[in-house]
Amino acid sequence: MTPTDSSPAKPVSDVILIGAGIMSATLGVLLKALDPSLTISGYERLDAVAAESSDAWNNAGTGHSAFCELNYTPERADGSIDISKADKIAEQFELSKQFWASLVQEGPLPDPRAFIHSIPHMSFVWGAANVEYLRKRHAALLHSPLFKGMEFSTDPARIAEWIPLVMDGRDPAQPVAATRMAVGTDVNFGALTRALYDHLQSLPGVDMHLGHEVEDFRHKADGIWRLKVKDLATGESRIVRSRFVFIGAGGGSLPLLEKSGIPEANGFGGFPVSGQWLKCQNPEVIARHEAKVYGKPALGAPPMSMPHLDTRQINGRKELLFGPYAGFSTKFLKAGSYTDLFKSIELGNIRPLLYAGARNLGLTKYLIGQVLQTPAERTAALREYYPEANPADWQLAVAGQRVQVIKKDKKEGGVLEFGTEMVTSADGSIAALLGASPGASTAVAIMLELVQKCFPERAASPEWQARFRQLVPSFGQHLADTPALAAAVREHSRAVLRLEA
């Protein structure tokens, strides 16, 4: 069916949000808080919001603060520990908590217990070399006010008090160590996203369209974007227009970014990684574990595959998961197509894809091994963290799909990135977010950066600067350098969000 262009008399949206996950929800709510007069339209190809990576069963639910994720604190060649990335991620999550706390106080988020709970974040390792690494990591992190209160122990009895499942049945001669941060959190990003959209859609000037797929883009000389949008229920296509476009479609962002035609999109590719969980079915076992316990990933594993024995609160019920077990699929979304990877390959990104692929053959081998794992092999991995695990208590469940970023590099030809990447046009009229973990936890920091980059004049105005500080009190300051401020904002967020620690 031939699409019809919007009439010149039809209003042009100030903002179009593509994808109905945590990123689009955060940006939409932030922009309306900064300027209530803005008009926003949203388009999501599925029939529900937060149905892909933001859904609680499709992500780890960890409020990523680098408390327990060992890949954020690499060991340097001289044996010292680099905590710079950990500091950055910890601060970014504090920004998220401040923003959510402000929304609770102002009303858009009426009950924080619907999406966030206290849960200790722990790292657990075994073997002399790993114990020494964790000891050095703990000592290094204590220099940052963001990690104040982190406990460390090599005492099996003490660790058993924290995580009895992990220590029951373990060889007493095995050297072990653990760190514990009581101020860790579990976040149901699906529930949070739905609450943000409920608020957003209640505001004037906002319209949301589920079951609608963006098929193409055109940027005209007048500076307005024309988007071809298809109603998947009727098959009808139409043209909608906007001054600014945000592509926040998770794994679907890369193909859409390529269709935008902006030169900044050239050279980006994607490497899809899927996942599975073991979900505990035994209430007695679930009741005995009260922590998120992260370990060291296997050699060659992507960061999203860091093993963890994980207490969750999902839809009012306590759950216990182990995993994720990584896998490979050519889909870019859980509800995507097996042709997604092949359709994303174009002249501009072939070279980076080939170079990155050649240097990551170990990753490919690892993922193939994960796909071919037997139930007995999955149980063996679980028993490294829960020695007395009964396989009859656990059920395999499919987790979400992630697309790791591949981008061109002058020196390397192409590099595989494990993180998030924001791509914006030179004129700031379109932006896309690519990549994976720790994305959801750092959504507020990412969107604050995006707003300042894409709306520079307004973001620098006294009015928006003041509103930034209302919503995020530590805005513009580095918490790692200001211990008193770090303690104050953390305590304020704890109280407002009704966290226990």
Side-chain angles (χ1 to χ4, degrees):
M1 185 175 292
T2 303
T4 56
D5 199 349
S6 303
S7 162
K10 185 176 180 180
V12 177
S13 295
D14 291 313
V15 176
I16 279 181
L17 305 173
I18 304 174
I22 185 63
M23 294 297 175
S24 292
T26 301
L27 179 59
V29 170
L30 175 59
L31 285 173
K32 287 294 279 187
L34 291 166
D35 183 355
S37 72
L38 288 174
T39 56
I40 298 177
S41 296
Y43 296 93
E44 164 59 51
R45 64 190 293 267
L46 299 180
D47 292 327
V49 303
E52 277 280 354
S53 295
S54 298
D55 181 74
W57 292 110
N58 290 339
N59 62 64
T62 303
H64 284 291
S65 306
F67 295 157
C68 55
E69 305 93 332
L70 300 179
N71 61 307
Y72 297 145
T73 48
E75 188 171 6
R76 299 186 182 99
D78 64 1
S80 62
I81 305 298
D82 182 358
I83 70 166
S84 57
K85 188 171 184 179
D87 255 340
K88 179 180 179 180
I89 290 172
E91 178 163 333
Q92 288 177 328
F93 188 63
E94 292 299 328
L95 298 183
S96 290
K97 288 196 295 181
Q98 289 175 61
F99 183 64
W100 301 336
S102 294
L103 296 182
V104 168
Q105 289 184 308
E106 295 184 4
L109 292 176
D111 184 5
R113 293 168 297 184
F115 68 89
I116 189 168
H117 296 85
S118 292
I119 190 75
H121 283 198
M122 296 186 61
S123 300
F124 176 78
V125 299
W126 58 88
N130 289 334
V131 168
E132 181 58 23
Y133 161 78
L134 197 63
R135 187 192 309 277
K136 291 191 296 185
R137 177 183 187 268
H138 173 253
L141 288 173
L142 287 183
H143 290 291
S144 168
L146 294 167
F147 296 87
K148 182 179 179 181
M150 177 179 278
E151 300 173 83
F152 171 83
S153 182
T154 58
D155 178 8
R158 179 61 170 157
I159 298 172
E161 293 177 5
W162 293 337
I163 41 177
L165 293 186
V166 175
M167 296 305 293
D168 286 355
R170 189 169 295 277
D171 181 357
Q174 184 183 56
V176 295
T179 56
R180 183 178 186 269
M181 279 290 282
V183 297
T185 56
D186 174 69
V187 184
N188 185 329
F189 287 105
L192 173 59
T193 301
R194 288 186 285 273
L196 291 173
Y197 267 110
D198 285 345
H199 167 65
L200 194 58
Q201 292 180 88
S202 73
L203 301 176
V206 177
D207 55 270
M208 185 69 195
H209 306 270
L210 300 177
H212 283 67
E213 185 169 20
V214 175
E215 297 181 304
D216 209 355
F217 299 78
R218 291 291 183 271
H219 196 209
K220 299 294 186 177
D222 59 4
I224 303 298
W225 283 94
R226 273 79 166 171
L227 280 66
K228 180 184 176 184
V229 180
K230 183 178 182 179
D231 184 330
L232 298 178
T234 66
E236 179 184 356
S237 294
R238 62 191 176 99
I239 301 297
V240 297
R241 303 186 298 166
S242 182
R243 296 178 179 86
F244 173 77
V245 176
F246 173 64
I247 305 173
S253 290
L254 177 62
L256 291 170
L257 178 62
E258 291 175 338
K259 290 179 180 180
S260 73
I262 62 172
E264 291 82 4
N266 187 47
F268 280 97
F271 185 85
V273 178
S274 60
Q276 294 176 313
W277 301 105
L278 282 178
K279 177 184 174 184
C280 189
Q281 306 294 301
N282 187 331
E284 294 180 3
V285 173
I286 295 171
R288 293 190 64 219
H289 191 70
E290 196 70 31
K292 290 181 177 288
V293 181
Y294 276 62
K296 271 201 161 186
L299 186 64
M304 68 165 285
S305 298
M306 286 181 296
H308 41 102
L309 188 62
D310 202 351
T311 295
R312 301 287 304 275
Q313 290 287 340
I314 300 178
N315 303 326
R317 179 175 173 176
K318 185 178 177 182
E319 304 280 1
L320 180 60
L321 304 178
F322 178 77
Y325 298 92
F328 176 76
S329 167
T330 53
K331 289 183 178 183
F332 276 5
L333 292 163
K334 193 173 181 179
S337 166
Y338 287 108
T339 64
D340 288 343
L341 174 59
F342 308 107
K343 288 181 178 179
S344 74
I345 299 172
E346 54 184 24
L347 188 62
N349 65 16
I350 287 179
R351 186 171 181 267
L353 284 168
L354 291 175
Y355 273 89
R359 275 193 302 276
N360 288 277
L361 293 177
L363 172 61
T364 304
K365 182 179 178 181
Y366 168 80
L367 294 175
I368 292 172
Q370 289 275 292
V371 171
L372 298 177
Q373 271 190 328
T374 64
E377 288 171 327
R378 283 192 288 267
T379 299
L382 168 62
R383 284 177 174 162
E384 290 187 319
Y385 289 84
Y386 175 20
E388 297 185 344
N390 181 352
D393 292 339
W394 299 80
Q395 180 184 69
L396 191 64
V398 178
Q401 189 80 3
R402 301 289 186 272
V403 177
Q404 309 293 347
V405 178
I406 293 175
K407 63 180 183 180
K408 59 185 176 183
D409 182 87
K410 290 181 179 179
K411 183 178 180 181
E412 303 289 342
V415 293
L416 180 63
E417 295 284 336
F418 294 105
T420 51
E421 185 86 20
M422 186 168 66
V423 183
T424 59
S425 61
D427 64 359
S429 67
I430 189 169
L433 194 70
L434 308 176
S437 183
S441 296
T442 59
V444 173
I446 293 169
M447 293 304 117
L448 286 170
E449 180 185 351
L450 184 150
V451 168
Q452 293 174 88
K453 193 168 185 178
C454 295
F455 303 83
E457 293 183 6
R458 301 198 68 186
S461 68
E463 295 79 12
W464 278 33
Q465 286 287 309
R467 189 64 173 132
F468 282 138
R469 287 188 289 273
Q470 284 180 334
L471 295 166
V472 182
S474 71
F475 175 78
Q477 302 180 72
H478 290 294
L479 294 178
D481 300 329
T482 49
L485 179 62
V489 297
R490 180 172 280 176
E491 172 55 26
H492 176 73
S493 298
R494 184 206 63 78
V496 175
L497 296 175
R498 305 183 191 181
L499 299 173
E500 297 170 8

